[in-house]
Amino acid sequence: MSAWTMGARGVDKRGSFFKLIDTIASEIGELKQEMVRTDVSLENGLEPAETHSMVRHKDDGYPEEKDVKTYARDSGYDSLSNRLSILDRLLHTHPIWLQLSLSEEEAANVLQSQPPGIFLVHKSTKMQKKVLSLCVPCEFGTPLKEFAIMESTYTFSLEGSGISFADLFRLIAFYCISRDVLPFTLKLPYAISAAKTEAQLEELAQLGLNFWSSPADNHPPNPPPLHRPLSCAGVCPASLRQLCLINGVHSIKTRTPSELECSQTNGALCFINPLFLKVHSQDLSGGLKRPSTRTPNANGTERPRSPPPRPPPPAINSPHTSPGLSGTETQTSMPETVNHNKHGNVAVPGTKPTPIPPPRLKKQASFLEAEGSAKTLTGGRPSPGGEREPRAGGGAGGAPPGQAAAAAAGCTRAPPAGSESRPPGHGGRQRLSDMSISTSSSDSLEFDRSMPLFGYEGDTNSSLEDYEGESDQETVAPPIKSKKKRNSSFVLPKLVKSQLQKMSGVFSSFMTPEKRMVRRIAELSRDKCTYFGCLVQDYVSFLQENKDCHVSSTDLLQTIRQFMTQVKNYLSQSSELDPPIESLIPEDQIDVVLEKAMHKCILKPLKGHVEAMLKDFHVADGSWKQLKENLQLVRQRNPQELGVFAPTPDIVDVEKIKVKFMTMQKMYSPEKKVMLLLRVCKLIYTVMENNSGRMYGADDFLPVLTYVIAQCDMLELDTEIEYMMELLDPSLLHGEGGYYLTSAYGALSLIKNFQEEQAARLLSSETRDTLRQWHKRRTTNRSIPSVDDFQNYLRVAFQEVNSGCTGKTLLVRPYVTTEDVCQLCAEKFKVGDPEEYSLFLFVDETWQQLAEDTYPQKIKAELHSRPQPHIFHFVYKRIKNDPYGIVFQNEEEDLTPS
Amino acid sequence: RYTFSDTGVGKSSIVCRFVQDHFDHNISPTIGASFMTKTVPCGNELHKFLIWDTAGQERFHSLAPMYYRGSAAAVIVYDITKQDSFHTLKKWVKELKEHGPENIVMAIAGNKCDLSDIREVPLKDAKEYAESIGAIVVETSAKNAINIEELFQGISRRIPPLDPHENGNNGAIKLGKASTPSSRRCC
């Protein structure tokens, strides 16, 4: 996969990547030197905030409690709880700005009355792409400019920009800070940028699209006048808090200009480097500040974003400077903004020769990511989050668990807690210690590197091991990565060490969104409060508890496959995934990611059960024994008797192959199993070709494969192959995996039928039929099921002679009888005389009235499992006066026995 | 996807020749010669051939359906120097007609046309037969790289332009899937 990553980025870009990485390295060097300065400046930066709040406190003589609160929030500890990062704000409010279903016109309508900088993301029907629509000032001629969002396999970027992002949120967050290819930076609506708690954001988000027309979207009255913070401090408690914030920002902003310059000369690495986030944030606040409203979040943004180290900024210095400066800045409203932009413009051309932005970006992205994932874990759903992180730390190949945990904990929770009690100066120290922590966990590099190298051409077991441990490691990965980033920024020699490492670092940032998504879905699947979670959990336990509800191994696997496809489909349409998957995963990757998630939340818990069931079935139908006997027979034959005329693997190679097959057995994901099968085949080819340079086609390969499988003497392979063939994502069946899977299946059938073949020189026609049926099944499976195919849903049409048909999807559990369904229908369709109505099945052009004691869900399941797809409808209608056909009272008997 | 069925000698060589000619970046490496892929431009579209090779020996005959299932095209190869191989080819055609996917594009390749001095199958016979079954026919030489490209171009043109699940992500890329069960009766 990682190999693909490289490919995806384009071969020609590889060189520039190295360049970029070198640039980063050198810039980090420079920054390191500046660090001292930075720290000082940081201290300066924050001080004023504190001072202000204190001053205010005194001046107002405000009721203690409230003031204390305010004070506590702001006092040197960054009021962490207050400071939501831009990313947080974006994540919480995506129902407002992320409007994929909106048309161009609708988007234009929404934005029409908005001030410049306000934006929406929607999907353009013209371009068939996601588009960023941005309000621009009238000088631009149009009220709106559109920027297409490009999606590559792993990234999102704006058209024309060399900077790409792991997901949409990071992209938008970045453009809130840096304009890059935009005429100016994006601006969050006032209400969003002014919100101080997640709850407030959630409240706004509830409005969804209505936000734009609601009073909540009141534009910033006027850029808050310079003095307002101080003067109106006493006015009301609410505004007070906000004011403090603004103050904090101002003070920080003081630094902005200098930071900007720094970024120009230095390539603004400060963006990326976690250590300099403070610096960065100042820079940011400068950038953000321009639209005066945004101020608060500008500041907030960076603070929480920088994960663990970020406790309180030490306040040491000159209370004077900042207030003065901040004053100036405050007045900065639109006009000033323009100025700033001009600055920006000047800078940009200089920096433009692209190499620099991407690394910055990448780093930032992965960095954000780390933070994001931490947030997901801790903030997302209460239960799994907390325990997860520490465990993650423990597994982090080499990272001392305690430290990892500490670092992780530091991400979100620790700072606010500690902030209350500790004196300002302390923060600085804590940060230092954090840094040293991250430095020490350098071993994790090894792990990271192995990921990108994974691919079957690297025929090693090491990457396999990653896979085996995958389930746990997935949880671990993001923290490690973030740590590594921190790490690399700090320990120069390490970073310079090898380009490969650096490369992998860059790429690993692409790997994570997918994993993050998979993990999130897996979490969701365990959360029974969600529909999705219920569906999955119920299904899993249903399967485990009801061993005899499937008639054959194929039946079992097939229902599982179908269930996965359905759930995938549900997930891609439902709103239960928050944020929507489209915002995190490029469109062409969504299915792949969902498929992985399905494996994780459905196949993983079921693996043991399914294996046992498969074996039971095979034992019961005699095929186990048949295979066993024939396997022995085949093993006694020499290769030539099996049609082998190419070199065959020796004992050592066969052992190697066996090991691979055994590893395969441990996997729950059919894709990974297939990957291993491919490795086995690759090894067989290597042996066959034996440096002869000759290419062997199927005529030679299939016999050798048969021979090898016989030599391995593993009866379990039969169930393995079956598992893969039935559960593999249908889209993969045509590729290389599908081909060799087919070949392996063929080889096994040859072995199974060896005796018969000896006798008849022909496989039983039965096998051929099975194969044909298999194909039909797998191809029909492709048609995407709609929601009403779901296990617990039944789509029922209601037919009235006069008014035609209406349909409803009802919740009908498997063992609900027709009688009950009728009752339900009577209710739902508001039928006054239910005794006149009944449930009918319309299939194959005929009507069948269902008897009261039948189970509609079972009937549906039976119809679904027929080899030929049938079009059928459940219809609730009058028993008499049936204009369409004859009622077959007893037909259902034929249907139910499945 | 395409199916490639061949009796007679040289099916693998044809595939190898096809895939390996023009060393360009269109080739994605596969682990072995039984399954190969190649992307070929056709008009405004790119067709990706997924070529499934089928073991041609009689004993594997029963497995063939697994290989030609879902194929868009089948290439059936015979050896112009062996009359027998032409008969076997007819059997394959019959099988494909009866059990193969509907609308499968069939292409007949008379390989080894570099050895036309010892030819046993006249080109005329092949042409008449191909016409009767509506197949493409081409005489090829894998050895001398004659008509290989033409063979696949011909198939490319015949593949129906729209096939929903074969449509690549971005309109431009169309994956004409090629599975090539080339079943060959072995020596």
Side-chain angles (χ1 to χ4, degrees), chain A residues 540-565:
Chain A
V540 167
S541 44
F542 176 80
L543 267 192
Q544 283 168 341
E545 288 156 19
N546 299 276
K547 298 215 177 221
D548 25 353
C549 63
H550 294 284
V551 293
S552 68
S553 52
T554 358
D555 180 34
L556 170 73
L557 294 172
Q558 214 184 309
T559 18
I560 297 177
R561 176 67 253 178
Q562 208 173 342
F563 181 73
M564 290 199 296
T565 310

Side-chain angles (χ1 to χ4, degrees), chain B residues 1 4 9 28 65 83 87 92-93 98 114 117-118 182:
Chain B
R1 89 197 322 269
F4 187 58
V9 196
S28 49
Q83 188 65 47
H87 287 307
W92 276 111
V93 170
E98 282 169 15
D114 48 308
D117 42 335
I118 52 166
S182 45

Side-chain angles (χ1 to χ4, degrees), chain B residues 33-50:
Chain B
S34 308
F35 173 88
M36 297 186 122
T37 66
K38 178 162 179 173
T39 308
V40 176
C42 174
N44 296 329
E45 298 172 321
L46 287 175
H47 285 193
K48 184 171 182 189
F49 286 74
L50 309 177

Side-chain angles (χ1 to χ4, degrees), chain A residues 456 678 681 685 695-699 725 734-736 739 742-743 745 750 757 763 768 771 774-775 782, chain B residues 1 11 20 30-35 50 52-53 55-57 59-60 62 66-67 69-70 95 165 177 184:
Chain A
Y456 53 76
L678 286 177
C681 294
Y685 273 117
M695 309 276 281
Y696 287 96
D699 287 358
M725 284 186 77
H734 291 293
E736 194 166 31
Y739 178 83
T742 304
S743 300
Y745 182 89
L750 286 175
E757 192 216 1
L763 283 192
R768 302 189 62 170
L771 297 181
W774 175 78
H775 170 237
R782 265 201 194 152
Chain B
R1 89 197 322 269
K11 110 212 119 155
Q20 290 176 341
T30 55
I31 61 171
S34 308
F35 173 88
L50 309 177
W52 288 44
D53 190 4
Q57 298 94 314
R59 66 194 302 156
F60 300 130
S62 54
M66 297 203 75
Y67 291 83
R69 73 192 152 82
E95 153 116 25
H165 59 261
K177 299 214 183 130
R184 164 221 287 198

